[in-house]
Amino acid sequence: MSAEKIVSNNGIELWTESFGDPRDPAILLVMGSMSQGVVWPDGLVGRLAAAGRYVIRYDHRDTGRSTAVDFAANPYTWADLRDDIVRVMDAYGLASAHVVGHSAGGLIGQWLAVESPERVETLTVIGSSPLGGREGKVLMAALMGEEQPEGSLPPPTAAFVDFYRAAMAAGAPPATRRERVEAQVAEARLLHGPELPFDEEAERALQERILDRARDPDSVVNHRMAGMADLDFEPVGVLDRVKAPTLVVEGTREPVKPGHGAVIAEQIPGAQLLMVEGMGHTLPEEVHAELARAITAHTAGRM
């Protein structure tokens, strides 16, 4: 069973959904940039709730059923996306929670653990980059064919670069709903990686669901605008201030941020690194059991 709730703060509505018993330890799931909360797979969420966790997922502003912002009139920053995590906690009466973030959700989870350590009981980052690593600059350099600065993060795979260069060269974005869905399925196939089976029909159904529940499907680009407005938004050299026990998860076939997990684990004191065989940048059914076991153990202090 699940329960939905709208969290309102300063004119922003955030759609949230909870699973399990509110008396159990709370896990707050933070999805990546431009992604709805329902991208957290129901199967993984269900396993966590069945293991005795109160699980909450939510739509970032400008995704899904949350507020679609007029960015020109009301611009925001990545710090606002970080603080939305706290707004969700406050709405649920949580002084703190176990924060689990995927991709950019893991990055702002790190940021929250640095800035508001009392709100983060444990931290789990999946397929993420280290706070202060300037991942955006690394990606742009790779896509533009520029030399990576010395000491920068490992670049994305050649397959990732080729895919997005081709998309950039194509010019015009998808014009119809069908084209939009098929473009997202193609991107998901790339992010999924080549090793584990890719369920194309399940992905297509997810993309249809994402379109159906979006207030404005195009408003997700506001996340990119918030980031591009200041590529130096991240504080640098602060991960040694993270006090929360931290689990870092990376797939062995990660195409976007390969090797970034090890960098995070090196910079956060006591962090543990879990490499998941065959996983790319998505959360397929084949890895749900392993991820649920790891997160359950970590949030119980048993890792």
Side-chain angles (χ1 to χ4, degrees), residues 174-237:
T176 66
R177 178 187 175 99
R178 180 176 179 180
E179 288 176 354
R180 185 191 292 261
V181 169
E182 293 307 315
Q184 291 301 314
V185 170
E187 181 180 61
R189 183 183 292 107
L190 167 77
L191 298 178
H192 179 87
E195 191 164 326
L196 297 177
F198 178 67
D199 190 335
E200 183 171 316
E201 291 309 309
E203 183 62 37
R204 185 170 287 106
L206 173 61
Q207 295 303 328
E208 294 279 3
R209 181 185 182 192
I210 286 170
L211 280 178
D212 286 342
R213 65 190 303 279
R215 291 195 190 186
D216 178 359
D218 294 325
S219 71
V220 296
V221 300
N222 289 343
H223 285 194
R224 187 174 296 157
M225 293 172 64
M228 292 300 291
D230 181 10
L231 289 176
D232 296 320
F233 71 88
E234 307 167 57
V236 176

Side-chain angles (χ1 to χ4, degrees), residues 1-299:
M1 294 291 292
S2 67
E4 299 182 17
K5 177 162 64 174
I6 297 295
V7 172
S8 298
N9 185 281
N10 292 329
I12 299 294
E13 292 185 340
L14 300 175
W15 173 90
T16 72
E17 186 176 28
S18 60
F19 302 79
D21 190 333
R23 295 169 296 184
D24 288 336
I27 288 178
L28 183 55
L29 301 175
V30 186
M31 188 33 72
S33 175
M34 303 172 68
S35 298
Q36 298 182 15
V38 296
V39 177
W40 286 104
D42 293 342
L44 175 59
V45 172
R47 285 177 181 270
L48 292 171
R53 299 293 180 270
Y54 182 51
V55 185
I56 303 166
R57 62 184 178 184
Y58 71 99
D59 289 340
H60 293 291
R61 61 178 71 190
D62 277 318
T63 74
R65 294 179 182 168
S66 292
T67 294
V69 178
D70 179 346
F71 195 84
N74 298 290
Y76 59 85
T77 68
W78 274 82
D80 293 304
L81 293 173
R82 176 202 66 198
D83 293 345
D84 283 343
I85 302 174
V86 174
R87 294 179 179 107
V88 173
M89 285 189 200
D90 288 346
Y92 279 85
L94 299 172
S96 61
H98 300 281
V99 175
V100 179
H102 181 263
S103 194
L107 187 143
I108 58 176
Q110 295 168 60
W111 197 359
L112 182 66
V114 167
E115 298 292 341
S116 302
E118 74 282 359
R119 306 305 298 259
V120 183
E121 293 186 35
T122 67
L123 177 64
T124 302
V125 294
I126 306 171
S128 190
S129 293
L131 180 68
R134 302 293 190 259
E135 177 212 359
K137 291 186 175 181
V138 172
L139 289 177
M140 287 302 296
L143 292 175
M144 296 297 106
E146 300 171 354
E147 185 176 348
Q148 295 286 347
E150 184 177 351
S152 64
L153 292 168
T157 64
F160 177 93
V161 172
D162 290 345
F163 180 91
Y164 284 99
R165 282 182 179 169
M168 291 163 62
T176 66
R177 178 187 175 99
R178 180 176 179 180
E179 288 176 354
R180 185 191 292 261
V181 169
E182 293 307 315
Q184 291 301 314
V185 170
E187 181 180 61
R189 183 183 292 107
L190 167 77
L191 298 178
H192 179 87
E195 191 164 326
L196 297 177
F198 178 67
D199 190 335
E200 183 171 316
E201 291 309 309
E203 183 62 37
R204 185 170 287 106
L206 173 61
Q207 295 303 328
E208 294 279 3
R209 181 185 182 192
I210 286 170
L211 280 178
D212 286 342
R213 65 190 303 279
R215 291 195 190 186
D216 178 359
D218 294 325
S219 71
V220 296
V221 300
N222 289 343
H223 285 194
R224 187 174 296 157
M225 293 172 64
M228 292 300 291
D230 181 10
L231 289 176
D232 296 320
F233 71 88
E234 307 167 57
V236 176
V238 296
L239 282 181
D240 61 350
R241 289 163 45 187
V242 173
K243 304 302 181 187
T246 300
L247 172 64
V248 183
V249 182
E250 184 177 312
T252 60
R253 303 306 296 265
E254 168 64 54
V256 190
K257 313 163 194 283
H260 294 202
V263 178
I264 300 171
E266 289 170 3
Q267 293 186 17
I268 296 180
Q272 300 186 59
L273 176 64
L274 171 65
M275 298 298 296
V276 178
E277 187 63 38
M279 188 175 80
H281 195 64
T282 60
L283 303 169
E285 183 178 1
E286 289 81 3
V287 304
H288 290 178
E290 182 175 1
L291 288 179
R293 283 195 300 269
I295 294 169
T296 300
H298 179 56
T299 54

